[in-house]
Amino acid sequence: MIGIDKINFFTPNTYIDLVKLATYRGVDPDKYTIGIGQSKMAVPTITQDTVSMGANAAFPILEKKDLTAIDLVVVGTETGIDESKSAAAFIHQLLGIHPFAKSIEIKQACYGATAGLMMARDFVKTHPGRKALVIGSDISRYGLNTSGEVTQGAGAVAMLISENPRILAIEDTSIAMSENIFDFWRPNYSDTAIVDGKFSNEAYVKFFNLLWTKFTEETTYSLDDISAFCFHLPYTKMGKKALLPLLENESAGVKEKLLAHYDLSTEYTRNIGNIYTGSLYLSFMSLLDNQTTSLKPNDLIAFFSYGSGAVGEIFSGRLIEGYEKHLDTANHKDMLTDRYDLSIEEYETIFNKEIPKTDGIHSLDEEKYEKGTFYLSHISNHQRHYEKRQ
Ligand code: HMG
């Protein structure tokens, strides 16, 4: 049995309230909170990037014995900080993982962490007793006053993959598909994504339907067998657009179970926004942290991963007896309630700040706003340097 032994997320300490933003933009707030389904949006300062957020997500779950057992570090990201060097190379050092491990970055939009998870599962299968660390870390940016603005966000998820996992055993059958489309993309010269919003919604739903049909053929599972779905959530309404048509001819019991669990799975995204690669796994944590008694050991969870461009995958996993003892629910909730509520002016200033691109040493100081354990402290002749708060 191989799967998720530990899991954690990190989101920056600063957010913008979306009713405040809607009012400022002259939009009916119900469009954001009901039509899109988002309440708050994480906005990272310049000192929190893909590397620091990934390290911050992983640090609390790693014990000394893990640091000597992890032979593979995979970071899925579409907002990497270097065209050549992987975010994983930095994170491997920041976390103190032993030197004889391989550290790599994977890119395919929001699908990257799922590619990493599947690679990690296969790696552990062929290296008994060893572990893999999988991270999804991203900053979602479309630009100020764009239609995508309300679907931005920032954060990271870290998962320790091992034999005899304590949270979720990943099943062998999964179905993936690829299609070369332009629903969402980001050319190398742009720091904001380009999106065909309506087409991206349609592509997401189409991928889900095709994958679900093939997944049920291969596994013979039906909706009766599934206790909950976790979706990649660019915004909380998106997964529902895919799920609702599937439920049309189902019994009241199946509808009630899957919709109740869907709502629990969206709680964290509603308050953070799209974190791209980590999003699917954030919805898994939201489901586990927010349910109390409805999910039992051996319950089957179905996961839908979607990365624009596009690659999708549906896979499943079974909850392990005692899984609830290995979640960090209280800290997750504290992280979200203790954040700094930005004014519109602070939000736009922070959004527009850029990393210095000239020679020399540039110190970065955002102490007023952020309190991540790891943070980007300075750029020295184009090299990023991170520090750890004690
Ligand atoms: P938009 O044009 O601003 O919004 O784009 P809209 O006019 O379509 O309205 C959105 C919803 O709000 C509609 O509901 C309206 O009816 C409703 P729907 O028809 O969708 O059910 N609405 C209201 N509801 C209540 N009260 C009101 C009101 N007014 C309107 N007063 C869009 C929205 C999401 C397209 C845009 O924000 C966008 O382009 N976002 C980025 C793209 C995106 O998130 N796509 C999702 C699928 S692709 C994906 O998941 C991959 C991705 O994560 C990237 C990756 O893989 O790396 C994005």
Side-chain angles (χ1 to χ4, degrees), residues 28 30-31 34-36 78 108-111 142 147-151 183-184 195-198 200-201 204 232 234-235 237-238 241 274 276 306-308:
D28 178 353
D30 285 354
K31 174 173 177 185
I34 300 168
I36 304 274
E78 55 179 296
Q108 178 29 61
C110 298
Y111 173 75
Y142 297 90
S147 70
E149 181 180 32
V150 63
T151 62
D183 59 331
F184 162 108
V195 64
D196 184 340
K198 301 282 177 259
S200 73
N201 288 352
Y204 178 109
H232 163 59
Y235 53 96
K237 186 117 169 253
M238 188 66 240
K241 282 178 192 274
N274 192 357
Y276 289 163
Y306 178 77
S308 285

Side-chain angles (χ1 to χ4, degrees), residues 34-35 70 79 125 131 150 196 204 217 223 237 262 328 335 360 369 372-373 384:
I34 300 168
I70 293 170
T79 53
K125 216 177 257 180
K131 300 182 184 184
V150 63
D196 184 340
Y204 178 109
E217 283 164 11
L223 288 180
K237 186 117 169 253
Y262 178 80
D328 206 1
M335 199 190 316
Y369 295 116
T373 303
R384 289 192 181 223

Side-chain angles (χ1 to χ4, degrees), residues 232-249:
H232 163 59
L233 292 174
Y235 53 96
T236 67
K237 186 117 169 253
M238 188 66 240
K240 217 169 197 169
K241 282 178 192 274
L243 182 59
L244 282 179
L246 203 66
L247 300 181
E248 256 165 31
N249 299 318

